[in-house]
Amino acid sequence: MYHKSRVGWLKHFDFLILDLLCVNISFVAAFLLQYRGDTSHFGVTDINRFIIVINIIAVLAALLSKTYKNILKRGYYKEIVSVFKYTLLIFLSSVFYLFAINSYTSNELRNIVYIMAVVLLFVDYILRIIWKRILRHKLRNTAERSMLVVTTSNIAEDVISNMQENDIATYKISGVVIVDKDMTGEKIKGIPVVAGVDDAADYACREWVDEVFVNVHKNQSYPQKLIDEFETMGLVIHNRLVNTSKVDSKHQLVEKIGIYTVLTSSVNSINAYQLFVKRAFDIIGGIFGCLITLILCAVIGPVIYIKSPGPIFFKQERVGKNGKKFMLYKFRTMYLDAEERKQELMEQNRVKDGMMFKLDFDPRIIGSKRLENGKTKKGVGGWLRVLSIDEFPQFFNVLKGEMSIVGTRPPTLDEWEKYELHHRARLAIKPGITGMWQANGRSEITDFEKVVELDTSYIRDWSLALDFKIILKTILTVFKREGSM
């Protein structure tokens, strides 16, 4: 799932606040110069009204002039031009307003506007440059996405340099793949060469990689087989347009990465509105889920501890979106030695090839017993699982942004190590508390290929409506299980 949001609206909002601060600083400075430090004039009605108007003008000028477009990529000259246009628009709009109202203070306010425009030009330019440096540093050190660069040895240094110097984005270059010679283990501009053309797909399958940028020299044959493998894994692929390629992705768009024009291909794409709604729903649902979790702690926490002394929460490292690892939380439903006993029970696993771990009867679950007549008895751990109550602490993962309410089941590390290329496609989105597999009867589905099929169909056909449908279906499934007990 791809969202084209290099410098999002939140960063633009930062610059808008900065510009409003500059406008007000410039106005105050101009005011003090006009009235020689006499602040008593601030009580005049026309002046108070003009302060409000100048801020409204500043916001409208920012929207109309598109002054924040590509702001982090602009150099010093382009920035001063942008600030000049923004300041000029504020100046002309303010003068027009003062002529329109024609009050007794208009002449004095026009003098203030003349001075303010000069001060604003310099103050806004200097503060924008400072804030851009701060924001660039912050973005590079808090990368949200991992980029793998596929290129050739003769242009690798230029490609890395251009991307580092000209593209400010929420990703980091995690590694380089050189397709025309073996340079694995070396570094280019501080970035490690992690693989060659033959083992790049295996590297991407086992590591955190969100996106791939492909830029090979015109004299080098295009690595079509490798790109096909990346596509099979559900990775977002950015092909420099000078390269000839065939990518059968459903979703394609043309955009810029640094100085390069690329054709971006992905399994599915999500626009800013959809992303906002999905994340807003996750946050609201996460808050309610966390509140319920705290209540459940008081009710079932003591029961868990009495039946199996130890922590009431279980945490385990899982694999999230595109291979990014995180710590998942649950209510503990198993005895403390559950992980140690897992290997001895592997022969009873209902899921082929050990891609997931499911037992008809799991003796590691707190309170579970096999009776003398051969029947099994559920304990507290079993009931928590049947009712999916053990999943509630994952709402903390949702609030942290590591998971979503609806997504795919996050695999354990040992499961992930067994993945084939097409299995990795199910990691193209954030993992979820529920999903297509859970909503369609998780206990009955023991074929991992069927799980992959359900997850990839969800990613391919994702919509907000589908998320709500899955949530409703999951709730009905839980009530159905409760009614059959």
Side-chain angles (χ1 to χ4, degrees):
M1 192 93 71
Y2 179 59
H3 174 237
K4 183 180 177 290
S5 178
R6 295 296 174 201
V7 181
W9 65 271
L10 284 174
K11 276 86 177 177
H12 290 175
F13 185 73
D14 288 347
F15 280 103
L16 177 60
I17 296 299
L18 180 71
D19 283 349
L20 288 176
L21 178 64
C22 292
V23 167
N24 285 278
I25 290 173
S26 302
F27 179 83
V28 171
F31 180 92
L32 294 175
L33 287 171
Q34 171 68 19
Y35 292 111
R36 302 182 183 279
D38 182 4
T39 58
S40 63
H41 292 272
F42 270 123
V44 177
T45 302
D46 285 346
I47 294 176
N48 291 343
R49 187 186 296 118
F50 183 69
I51 293 173
I52 297 172
V53 170
I54 198 71
N55 279 277
I56 295 173
I57 289 173
V59 173
L60 294 176
L63 296 175
L64 293 174
S65 65
K66 298 181 179 180
T67 187
Y68 307 132
K69 185 177 182 181
N70 296 322
I71 188 168
L72 290 181
K73 298 180 184 180
R74 288 201 293 257
Y76 296 113
Y77 172 73
K78 288 186 177 180
E79 192 60 61
I80 192 65
V81 172
S82 178
V83 172
F84 178 79
K85 290 179 180 178
Y86 174 65
T87 302
L88 183 62
L89 191 54
I90 292 175
F91 171 75
L92 294 175
S93 301
S94 301
V95 170
F96 177 80
Y97 167 78
L98 292 173
F99 274 114
I101 63 170
N102 193 28
S103 70
Y104 75 94
T105 57
S106 292
N107 289 332
E108 293 177 348
L109 282 173
R110 276 196 291 272
N111 292 334
I112 291 175
V113 169
Y114 298 146
I115 301 171
M116 185 193 78
V118 177
V119 176
L120 178 61
L121 181 63
F122 289 99
V123 171
D124 199 24
Y125 176 71
I126 292 169
L127 289 185
R128 278 197 190 187
I129 294 298
I130 293 173
W131 185 242
K132 286 203 298 185
R133 288 187 177 182
I134 294 172
L135 201 53
R136 282 173 179 148
H137 178 77
K138 181 181 176 182
L139 288 173
R140 283 170 178 154
N141 287 278
T142 58
E144 297 171 359
R145 288 180 282 190
S146 174
M147 174 79 80
L148 185 66
V149 176
V150 178
T151 186
T152 48
S153 57
N154 55 340
I155 62 171
E157 285 197 16
D158 288 338
V159 170
I160 298 298
S161 294
N162 286 329
M163 293 182 69
Q164 289 176 332
E165 294 170 8
N166 297 291
D167 195 31
I168 304 299
T170 52
Y171 66 74
K172 68 172 182 179
I173 303 175
S174 57
V176 183
V177 173
I178 301 297
V179 298
D180 60 333
K181 65 166 65 174
D182 184 12
M183 294 178 61
T184 305
E186 298 181 29
K187 286 192 174 183
I188 301 173
K189 295 290 184 179
I191 307 298
V193 178
V194 296
V197 69
D198 295 326
D199 53 352
D202 186 65
Y203 171 85
C205 190
R206 310 296 170 205
E207 300 293 336
W208 171 31
V209 177
D210 294 300
E211 304 174 19
V212 178
F213 173 57
V214 184
N215 183 8
V216 297
H217 192 268
K218 60 183 179 180
N219 294 330
Q220 173 70 29
S221 58
Y222 185 78
Q224 186 64 56
K225 180 176 178 294
L226 176 59
I227 304 308
D228 290 342
E229 290 172 329
F230 286 149
E231 186 186 13
T232 299
M233 286 186 274
L235 292 171
V236 174
I237 304 167
H238 305 283
N239 273 291
R240 189 182 177 192
L241 281 179
V242 295
N243 295 318
T244 55
S245 63
K246 172 183 171 293
V247 181
D248 296 324
S249 174
K250 180 180 176 182
H251 295 269
Q252 295 183 334
L253 58 93
V254 176
E255 59 176 334
K256 294 279 288 187
I257 290 184
I259 63 171
Y260 304 111
T261 301
V262 300
L263 179 66
T264 298
S265 307
S266 62
V267 178
N268 201 347
S269 60
I270 177 171
N271 61 41
Y273 169 76
Q274 292 171 321
L275 183 71
F276 173 79
V277 173
K278 185 171 176 66
R279 184 56 186 153
F281 181 75
D282 281 345
I283 291 173
I284 295 170
I287 291 172
F288 279 105
C290 288
L291 292 174
I292 295 173
T293 301
L294 293 175
I295 296 171
L296 290 172
C297 280
V299 177
I300 67 175
V303 179
I304 295 172
Y305 185 82
I306 291 169
K307 294 293 183 179
S308 175
I312 65 171
F313 291 109
F314 169 74
K315 63 179 182 178
Q316 185 182 48
E317 191 172 25
R318 294 291 184 99
V319 181
K321 182 179 178 181
N322 288 320
K324 189 174 185 179
K325 299 181 183 70
F326 70 100
M327 200 63 68
L328 177 138
Y329 303 102
K330 286 188 175 186
F331 281 120
R332 185 167 63 88
T333 59
M334 292 189 174
Y335 294 108
L336 294 177
D337 62 348
E339 286 301 307
E340 289 76 11
R341 297 170 62 187
K342 181 178 180 180
Q343 200 58 42
E344 64 187 63
L345 297 168
M346 193 61 74
E347 291 182 1
Q348 302 174 37
N349 189 8
R350 295 166 55 207
V351 181
K352 295 183 294 183
D353 303 321
M355 302 305 290
M356 293 192 300
F357 192 70
K358 292 289 176 182
L359 301 177
D360 289 321
F361 170 72
D362 194 337
R364 303 172 304 158
I365 296 177
I366 298 172
S368 294
K369 294 180 180 179
R370 190 180 290 279
L371 305 177
E372 292 182 358
N373 60 7
K375 293 184 179 180
T376 60
K377 175 186 176 183
K378 287 185 177 72
V380 59
W383 292 117
L384 292 177
R385 286 179 164 229
V386 168
L387 299 174
S388 297
I389 293 175
D390 63 319
E391 310 281 353
F392 270 88
Q394 292 173 42
F395 281 105
F396 287 103
N397 293 113
V398 172
L399 272 185
K400 291 168 66 178
E402 298 164 336
M403 294 181 66
S404 181
I405 291 177
V406 182
T408 60
R409 175 188 173 274
T412 60
L413 296 183
D414 59 328
E415 292 169 353
W416 185 45
E417 289 172 357
K418 299 171 185 175
Y419 272 21
E420 297 177 14
L421 298 185
H422 69 285
H423 295 151
R424 194 192 188 282
R426 65 185 299 271
L427 300 179
I429 59 168
K430 285 182 183 179
I433 296 177
T434 187
M436 290 284 278
W437 171 61
Q438 293 93 327
N440 286 277
R442 63 182 181 183
S443 299
E444 290 75 31
I445 301 174
T446 58
D447 184 352
F448 184 66
E449 295 299 333
K450 179 62 176 178
V451 175
V452 174
E453 181 184 331
L454 287 170
D455 287 340
T456 51
S457 69
Y458 166 74
I459 296 169
R460 185 175 57 250
D461 302 325
W462 178 87
S463 67
L464 293 169
L466 180 58
D467 273 5
F468 288 114
K469 181 180 177 182
I470 289 172
I471 291 171
L472 179 60
K473 199 170 182 180
T474 301
I475 294 171
L476 293 175
T477 301
V478 171
F479 278 117
K480 183 179 178 182
R481 287 206 301 266
E482 183 181 5
S484 63
M485 291 190 296

